[in-house]
Amino acid sequence: MAAFEGSYRHKIDAKGRLSLPAEFRKDLKRDLKVVLSDDPENPSLMIFDPEEYTQWLDHYFDKKGGYDPSNRQMRNFRKVMASRSKPCQMDDGGRIRLTTEQRERAGLSTDVTIIGDCEHIEVWDTQRWEEFELQALALDFD
């Protein structure tokens, strides 16, 4: 399992392509395949190694004893997440293509911040990331 850490400012080009930081590309599988998914909790996109994506999705059902296909809410959640996730091949330059729909749902403009969040990568609109960061650092854990 890769441990993605750090934050990097990048730009999405006019064709919707985003270059992933070299530090992150080296930790992805050699075949350069990733899974792009909406983040159900934050306005961002998540990028996973395909195996890590499956584990992440399964995590949502762990608290309820695992995925139960007879549970309508579980089926619906998994269905929506699967419909909003897509396999993606990085090109030789380490770029991935973000669809218009993905960019709109995540509120991504041209300027983005790519962050490592341990087992996955996230893509945030830079302004939203800065606001999130300030709020997260202001929390009082006592």
Side-chain angles (χ1 to χ4, degrees):
M1 175 171 79
F4 299 105
E5 297 175 333
S7 66
Y8 305 86
R9 290 195 176 188
H10 282 249
K11 291 191 180 288
I12 298 174
D13 72 15
K15 295 181 180 180
R17 296 176 302 190
L18 175 65
S19 179
L20 295 178
E23 293 83 358
F24 291 168
R25 290 194 311 259
K26 69 181 173 134
D27 288 330
L28 293 167
K29 297 267 191 227
R30 293 207 179 272
D31 61 8
L32 303 179
K33 290 181 182 174
V34 296
V35 175
L36 302 175
S37 180
D38 288 5
D39 183 338
E41 299 172 14
N42 294 299
S44 66
L45 282 178
M46 302 170 81
I47 303 171
F48 293 92
D49 175 276
E51 292 173 15
E52 293 292 334
Y53 170 74
T54 302
Q55 292 175 8
W56 169 79
L57 189 55
D58 287 345
H59 159 76
Y60 276 93
F61 307 112
D62 287 347
K63 292 182 253 180
K64 301 288 185 180
Y67 177 72
D68 177 2
S70 68
N71 182 308
R72 185 179 185 151
Q73 284 182 305
M74 287 185 184
R75 275 194 332 267
N76 290 345
F77 178 79
R78 189 173 82 166
K79 185 179 304 199
V80 169
M81 290 310 299
S83 75
R84 292 181 173 198
S85 300
K86 100 177 207 157
C88 183
Q89 182 86 24
M90 280 189 284
D91 67 16
D92 291 337
R95 294 177 301 190
I96 56 173
R97 183 168 167 73
L98 308 176
T99 67
T100 301
E101 293 81 13
Q102 288 171 320
R103 293 190 313 263
E104 287 174 355
R105 283 193 307 264
L108 300 178
S109 63
T110 303
D111 297 313
V112 296
T113 300
I114 303 170
I115 66 159
D117 190 4
C118 299
E119 77 283 346
H120 68 275
I121 300 165
E122 295 182 4
V123 182
W124 288 71
D125 176 80
T126 294
Q127 183 176 346
R128 279 202 180 126
W129 170 250
E130 290 171 351
E131 292 166 4
F132 177 87
E133 196 174 26
L134 287 173
Q135 289 175 351
L137 293 174
L139 291 178
D140 183 5
F141 292 105
D142 292 334

